[in-house]
Amino acid sequence: LLPWLEEHGYDMAYQQKTHGKADGVLVAWRAARFDCLARRAVEFEHEPGCDPRPEEALEYGAPASTAGVALAAVLRAKEDPRVVLSVGTSHIWWVHEMKRVKNMQIQRVITLVEESARAAVAEAFADPAEARCLLLLGLDMNTEPNDEPYQVATHLFDFKSLADHMPAAARGCGWTNITEKYQGWIDHIMCKQLRLAGTAPLPQVVLVSANALPSAAEVMRAGKVTGYPDTAHGSDHVPLVCTLALLGG
């Protein structure tokens, strides 16, 4: 993957899951547009509360470990070095009933992204108050907007979510996951401005555009009677893409 990304002008940070899992999580950025100030990762099995308790795993017939990880990359814009993006990603545990585990994993991703941003800004800036810092999350959250783990991010930590703010015409029906038995919006892009001590007013974050998402009916009409994945789509998830702009500041 890295050679392909480099060929197309990207650099990346990657963290593989634990317990021999072949997959992982990745943050990529345009090398000509951003410098990477720091990259940090955590393994959920070593983070308090982020893996199932033995009795929980037994109750729901789930593995004893989620094998999950979280990754943060702190990027500094070359065009305007005051702008810092701390980008976090993770694959949150999928067992719906284990809300405690899901809540703790989401909180750990958020604290990782914020801690990484604060540490990188303190090291890179002579005066941290000059930084204009935005926290970005791109998550396979396995959580719909009306579920408690989603509310942890949007209400407890005050993140703004694409699911709540994109125009209805772009939002389509709101499915990012389409299978024969389930359709729902469980993948999320979220952002939050991080005010550091002594910083000036932060720029406004504006949603410029977002990709339309297919409906289950459209998928089935196209002959994909069992939903995704199929021969043309290697995942049961639909890509979620948006463009954000910082105005002023």
Side-chain angles (χ1 to χ4, degrees):
L1 182 59
L2 180 57
W4 186 93
L5 286 170
E6 290 177 338
E7 179 183 348
H8 290 80
Y10 288 88
D11 199 353
M12 74 169 195
Y14 177 79
Q15 183 67 30
Q16 187 170 341
K17 291 182 179 179
T18 59
H19 293 265
K21 298 287 186 180
D23 58 322
V25 295
L26 178 148
V27 176
W29 59 90
R30 287 278 190 185
R33 301 291 300 274
F34 295 97
D35 290 315
C36 185
L37 298 180
R39 58 190 81 186
R40 297 173 59 192
V42 296
E43 298 174 345
F44 287 144
E45 64 181 341
H46 301 306
E47 300 297 314
C50 289
D51 250 3
R53 301 184 181 116
E55 61 272 21
E56 290 174 320
L58 182 63
E59 179 180 359
Y60 298 111
S65 175
T66 67
V69 295
L71 173 67
V74 185
L75 311 176
R76 188 175 190 176
K78 293 183 177 182
E79 183 176 344
D80 183 352
R82 300 175 303 164
V83 175
V84 175
L85 308 180
S86 187
V87 186
T89 187
S90 185
H91 182 192
I92 302 301
W93 189 225
W94 57 271
V95 179
H96 178 74
E97 293 80 6
M98 289 189 178
K99 287 185 171 57
R100 183 198 65 81
V101 174
K102 294 163 73 74
N103 290 349
M104 293 299 295
Q105 290 185 354
I106 290 168
Q107 290 183 57
R108 188 63 188 99
V109 177
I110 291 172
T111 57
L112 173 68
V113 170
E114 181 169 339
E115 291 167 356
S116 299
R118 291 185 182 278
V121 166
E123 183 174 346
F125 286 78
D127 180 6
E130 295 179 355
R132 304 292 181 264
C133 191
L134 184 67
L135 308 181
L136 290 172
L137 301 177
L139 300 171
D140 178 353
M141 194 182 277
N142 280 312
T143 301
E144 295 187 2
N146 59 342
D147 286 342
E148 179 184 332
Y150 179 94
Q151 303 297 326
V152 167
T154 57
H155 290 181
L156 181 62
F157 288 93
D158 199 31
F159 271 80
K160 307 304 180 185
S161 174
L162 180 63
D164 295 329
H165 291 86
M166 67 190 296
R171 186 167 59 245
C173 68
W175 304 147
T176 69
N177 183 264
I178 302 174
T179 66
E180 183 179 16
K181 297 181 179 180
Y182 175 81
Q183 298 88 41
W185 187 314
I186 60 174
D187 304 276
H188 301 284
I189 297 173
M190 299 180 171
C191 69
K192 176 183 177 179
Q193 298 185 71
L194 178 63
R195 184 178 292 278
L196 302 168
T199 54
L202 293 167
Q204 181 183 6
V205 181
V206 176
L207 175 66
V208 177
S209 64
N211 64 313
L213 299 171
S215 68
E218 289 171 336
V219 172
M220 303 310 175
R221 280 201 302 270
K224 306 174 183 67
V225 294
T226 59
Y228 295 147
D230 62 10
T231 55
H233 300 81
S235 173
D236 56 344
H237 294 259
V238 178
L240 188 59
V241 182
C242 74
T243 300
L244 300 175
L246 296 178
L247 304 181

